[in-house]
């Protein structure tokens, strides 16, 4: 009897969200936030792969003046598809859809998101948008650039209709996710999880969700207006029909600048988790970091006009937008200052996620400073539509959002898969990505400052060497990313089994949940009695400096949160 009970207990301990149900239908019909996060991860990885290959082809074409591997029209379509796939189908949904879905409910102490069916619907809506994107390629492709500026987009290529429809549809997926997270954070926190005890990743997702819900309808309406103009000939943006093309720019950037914060605010949240955990230090200025995320989300709605300094808007409007642009640098600077303050006198552990965190600090700071440069009216007139803007954009979006996503994936990989990855290969890949990224895009900052226009198929000879360096950099960057793909797949089948808390982190997904998690996350709802980064409380109780104290140099595991009292029968 005892053996039977033990066997049943061992079997129960082996059950997790990956194996408690099997078969394709169990995945396609799942309402488990963790499985939906995995489905998003696979879909987005495929989009990232296609967009990355397109980028490599574009860089290969630019390795010399004139035609090298493709003609001008194909080049226009390749960089357009790269931009659209990266911005609308990868960067905007990536961190909320993958890590937000998987981690956020567990960090709150919840068993799922507030609306599980809506969560699954968001993935299906996203997939419909992806199918529309493929149809855009079938029906002639898109060569408008990712901004779809009118009046050109109102008249060119049959694929524009499908592509604008794809963006309209995927916008709903973004709104569904935002609504779900806002309600989950407000209503489903575990007992004791006050607003001042929320992990900063949750604060980042909360600010992101507000922007998703408020800003995304604007791009949806803009795309619908463009579709109406193309199909019914209604004059909205095309001057030939009595429309105003600058109106399109206002609409587009009213969404697309806040969209930058949809992409970067979750990255800020990831970085706070990484720096606190791998510095073994309570986060410096917790409230300042948390509230600066909300401040960035709000200010992000007021700066769209800095994309239009040369569009003919009034001088007063341009000055106001320029000043507000400077203002938004303050909360961003607060974050960087506090992250550096957190590392000061911390016990820094240079594991792979921390390498990505340090990369982010370096790259995002360059992105921020170059952003201030293009926010200056007089300088922007010189740099507008040059490779400087391309370099700045990639330092913020890829150096910020993608690097943080890579850091977050390495951090939560043991929790998601139950497997460890090869740490040596992971560090080599992080270095390759850092070097390749800077060789590729710092060169573009130099080219842009010297006057090389962006999106040009051909160029004068004096830019040849810089273009070649940038192309070689893209190969180094690709080598690093393919190495990540390789050891990630290897880890799934051959990786060492992960312990519940390999990093000694203090948030609930590490202290109270197995790796991989139980289908319902927690056996019992946790009772939260301390903050998410209170490593020092463990030291005060047990003494020492946070190490295990046995001479092994291992970090001490924070104690799991106790279980909340079971509700009385009448309260169930």
């Amino acid at each position: 009897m005892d053996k039977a009970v033990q066997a049943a207990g061992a079997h129960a301990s082996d059950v997790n969200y990956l194996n408690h149900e099997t078969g394709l239908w169990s995945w396609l019909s799942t309402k488990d936030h963790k499985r939906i996060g995995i489905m998003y991860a696979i879909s987005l990885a495929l989009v990232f792969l296609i967009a990355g290959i397109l980028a490599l082809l574009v860089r290969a074409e630019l390795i010399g003046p004139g035609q090298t591997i493709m003609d001008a029209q194909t080049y226009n379509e390749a960089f357009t598809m790269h931009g659209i796939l990266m911005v609308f189908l990868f960067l905007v949904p990536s961190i909320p859809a993958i890590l937000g879905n998987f981690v956020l409910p567990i960090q709150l102490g919840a068993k799922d998101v507030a609306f599980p069916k809506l969560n699954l619907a968001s993935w299906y809506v996203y997939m419909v948008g992806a199918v529309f994107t493929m149809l855009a390629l079938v029906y002639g492709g898109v060569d408008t650039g990712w901004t779809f500026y009118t009046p050109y987009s109102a008249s060119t290529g049959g694929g524009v209709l499908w592509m604008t429809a794809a963006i309209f549809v995927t916008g709903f997926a973004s709104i569904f996710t935002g609504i779900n997270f806002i309600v989950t954070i407000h209503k489903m926190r575990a007992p004791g999880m006050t607003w001042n005890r929320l992990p900063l990743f949750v604060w980042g997702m909360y600010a992101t969700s507000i922007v998703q819900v408020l800003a995304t309808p604007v791009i949806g309406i803009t795309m619908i207006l463009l579709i109406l103009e193309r199909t019914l000939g209604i004059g909205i943006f095309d001057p030939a029909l009595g429309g105003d093309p600058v109106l399109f720019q206002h609409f587009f950037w009213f969404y697309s600048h806040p969209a930058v914060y949809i992409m970067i605010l979750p990255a800020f949240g990831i970085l706070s988790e990484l720096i606190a955990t791998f510095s073994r230090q309570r986060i410096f200025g917790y409230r300042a970091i948390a509230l600066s995320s909300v401040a960035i989300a709000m200010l992000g709605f007021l700066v769209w006009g800095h994309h239009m300094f040369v569009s003919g808007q009034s001088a007063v409007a341009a000055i106001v937008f320029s000043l507000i642009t400077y203002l938004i640098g303050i909360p961003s600077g607060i974050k960087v200052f506090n992250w550096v303050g957190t590392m000061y006198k911390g016990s820094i552990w240079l594991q792979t996620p921390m390498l990505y965190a340090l990369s982010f600090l370096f790259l995002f700071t360059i992105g921020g400073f170059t952003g201030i440069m293009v926010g200056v009216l007089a300088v922007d007139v010189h740099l507008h539509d040059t490779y400087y803007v391309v370099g700045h954009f990639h330092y913020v979006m890829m150096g910020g959002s993608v690097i943080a996503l890579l850091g977050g994936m390495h951090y939560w990989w043991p929790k998601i898969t139950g497997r460890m990855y090869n740490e040596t290969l992971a560090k080599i890949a992080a270095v390759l990505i850092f070097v390749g990224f800077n060789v590729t895009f710092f060169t573009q900052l130099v080219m842009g400052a010297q006057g090389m226009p962006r999106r040009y198929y051909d160029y004068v000879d004096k830019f040849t060497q810089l273009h070649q360096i940038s192309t070689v950099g893209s190969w180094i960057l690709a080598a690093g990313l393919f190495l990540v793909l390789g050891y990630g797949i290897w880890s799934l089948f051959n990786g060492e089994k992960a312990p519940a808390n390999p990093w000694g982190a203090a948030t609930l997904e590490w202290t109270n949940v197995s790796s991989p998690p139980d289908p319902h996350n927690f056996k019992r709802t946790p009772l939260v009695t301390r903050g998410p980064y209170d490593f020092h409380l463990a030291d005060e109780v047990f003494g020492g400096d946070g190490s295990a104290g046995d001479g092994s140099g291992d970090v001490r595991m924070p104690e799991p949160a106790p279980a909340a009292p079971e509700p009385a029968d009448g309260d169930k």
Side-chain angles (χ1 to χ4, degrees):
M1 180 67 181
D2 289 344
K3 288 183 178 179
V5 171
Q6 288 174 4
H11 174 70
S13 66
D14 291 337
V15 174
N16 57 62
Y17 80 101
L18 292 170
N19 62 16
H20 79 293
E21 288 180 318
T22 57
L24 181 61
W25 181 245
S26 75
W27 282 85
L28 295 177
S29 60
T30 185
K31 293 179 280 297
D32 184 340
H33 65 97
K34 301 180 290 296
R35 284 190 162 206
I36 294 170
I38 297 292
M39 293 197 296
Y40 261 121
I42 295 169
S43 311
L44 289 163
L46 188 60
V47 170
F48 185 62
L49 178 64
I50 296 170
I53 291 172
L54 286 169
L56 288 172
L57 292 174
V58 167
R59 286 309 322 163
E61 165 54 36
L62 293 170
I63 200 165
Q67 180 173 342
T68 52
I69 64 166
M70 63 181 86
D71 59 33
Q73 179 60 26
T74 307
Y75 170 84
N76 288 343
E77 293 175 3
F79 81 70
T80 296
M81 284 303 296
H82 165 72
I84 291 172
L85 289 176
M86 281 301 294
V87 173
F88 293 108
L89 274 83
F90 179 74
L91 285 169
V92 167
S94 59
I95 297 177
I98 301 172
L99 295 177
N101 259 320
F102 195 97
V103 176
L104 183 139
I106 309 178
Q107 284 196 328
L108 292 173
K111 293 187 175 180
D112 208 322
V113 292
F115 307 117
K117 291 180 181 176
L118 191 67
N119 202 19
L120 179 61
S122 77
W123 181 77
Y124 277 105
V125 169
Y126 173 83
M127 294 307 294
V128 170
V131 170
F132 281 14
T133 303
M134 295 299 108
L135 288 173
L137 292 177
V138 173
Y139 284 92
V142 183
D143 63 352
T144 60
W146 73 277
T147 52
F148 295 101
Y149 270 9
T150 55
Y152 184 66
S153 61
S155 58
T156 183
V160 174
L161 267 180
W162 287 104
M163 190 58 74
T164 49
I167 293 169
F168 176 77
V169 169
T170 52
F172 281 98
S174 190
I175 293 170
F176 290 171
T177 302
I179 291 173
N180 230 331
F181 287 174
I182 290 172
V183 178
T184 304
I185 294 168
H186 273 272
K187 304 299 292 184
M188 298 186 67
R189 303 192 307 274
M193 180 64 81
T194 63
W195 286 91
N196 285 329
R197 287 175 177 168
L198 286 181
L200 286 167
F201 179 68
V202 175
W203 271 106
M205 293 308 310
Y206 184 67
T208 305
S209 300
I210 293 172
V211 183
Q212 282 178 309
V213 172
L214 295 181
T216 308
V218 178
I219 191 69
I221 292 168
T222 309
M223 293 297 112
I224 285 291
L225 292 175
L226 185 56
I227 290 170
L228 289 175
E229 186 166 66
R230 283 182 65 100
T231 54
L232 302 179
I234 301 172
I236 303 169
F237 304 123
D238 188 348
L241 299 173
D244 182 359
V246 178
L247 178 63
F248 178 87
Q249 294 188 34
H250 278 290
F251 282 166
F252 183 83
W253 289 115
F254 186 82
Y255 163 77
S256 293
H257 194 81
V260 170
Y261 303 109
I262 294 176
M263 304 177 221
I264 201 67
L265 282 170
F268 290 159
I270 291 174
L271 207 73
S272 297
E273 301 296 323
L274 301 186
I275 287 184
T277 298
F278 291 97
S279 299
R280 197 72 183 163
Q281 186 97 293
R282 189 178 189 185
I283 202 86
F284 179 73
Y286 169 87
R287 289 186 183 179
I289 292 182
L291 296 178
S292 63
S293 293
V294 181
I296 290 171
M298 296 297 107
L299 287 171
F301 284 99
L302 306 176
V303 297
W304 80 93
H306 72 208
H307 294 276
M308 301 166 58
F309 284 155
V310 298
S311 69
Q313 68 182 355
S314 76
V316 173
I319 292 170
V320 170
F321 281 123
S322 182
L323 291 175
I324 301 174
T325 302
Y326 301 155
L327 198 62
I328 209 165
I330 295 174
S332 303
I334 287 172
K335 287 181 182 296
V336 173
F337 178 80
N338 286 345
W339 289 326
V340 175
T342 303
M343 288 189 288
Y344 178 64
K345 290 190 176 179
S347 300
I348 294 176
W349 190 18
L350 286 178
Q351 294 298 92
T352 303
M354 188 60 172
L355 293 183
Y356 282 109
L358 296 175
S359 295
F360 177 99
L361 278 179
F362 183 84
L363 301 176
F364 182 75
T365 302
I366 292 178
F369 280 128
T370 52
I372 294 293
M373 294 297 290
V374 291
V376 178
L377 271 169
V379 179
D380 183 75
V381 172
H382 172 68
L383 296 175
H384 191 82
D385 266 346
T386 69
Y387 260 85
Y388 190 91
V389 177
V390 179
H392 155 68
F393 187 76
H394 281 83
Y395 265 96
V396 174
M397 292 294 90
M398 184 156 188
S401 187
V402 175
I403 292 294
L405 175 61
L406 286 169
M409 288 302 296
H410 282 82
Y411 179 56
W412 281 297
W413 183 265
K415 185 60 60 182
I416 295 171
T417 65
R419 299 283 180 175
M420 299 300 292
Y421 49 82
N422 186 303
E423 187 66 33
T424 304
L425 290 178
K427 288 179 177 175
I428 292 171
V431 172
L432 282 174
I433 289 170
F434 180 78
V435 172
F437 179 89
N438 281 291
V439 173
T440 305
F441 295 108
F442 195 83
T443 311
Q444 295 184 7
L445 291 174
V446 176
M447 269 194 286
Q450 294 180 357
M452 173 70 207
R454 65 174 174 172
R455 297 179 174 174
Y456 274 33
Y457 168 72
D458 200 2
Y459 51 85
V460 295
D461 289 339
K462 76 169 188 174
F463 292 115
T464 302
Q465 191 173 20
L466 289 171
H467 269 298
Q468 288 173 342
I469 293 172
S470 182
T471 300
V472 171
S474 71
W475 297 341
I476 300 172
L477 179 58
L481 290 170
F482 278 114
L483 183 55
V484 172
L485 178 65
Y487 68 71
I489 294 173
W490 185 90
S491 160
L492 290 176
F493 300 100
N494 303 298
E496 182 186 345
K497 192 173 181 181
N501 191 0
W503 315 124
T507 43
L508 290 177
E509 80 274 23
W510 296 111
T511 58
N512 284 57
V513 174
S514 59
S515 298
D518 184 84
H520 302 292
N521 296 346
F522 302 94
K523 300 292 185 187
R524 291 188 60 184
T525 302
L527 174 65
V528 180
T529 57
R530 56 171 171 75
Y533 312 110
D534 285 341
F535 299 103
H536 67 292
L537 292 182
D539 297 339
E540 287 171 3
V541 173
F542 300 108
D545 57 1
S547 64
D550 57 2
S552 64
D554 295 337
V555 293
R556 179 187 293 125
M557 296 301 120
E559 293 290 321
E566 290 285 350
D569 289 342
D571 297 334
K572 287 182 178 178

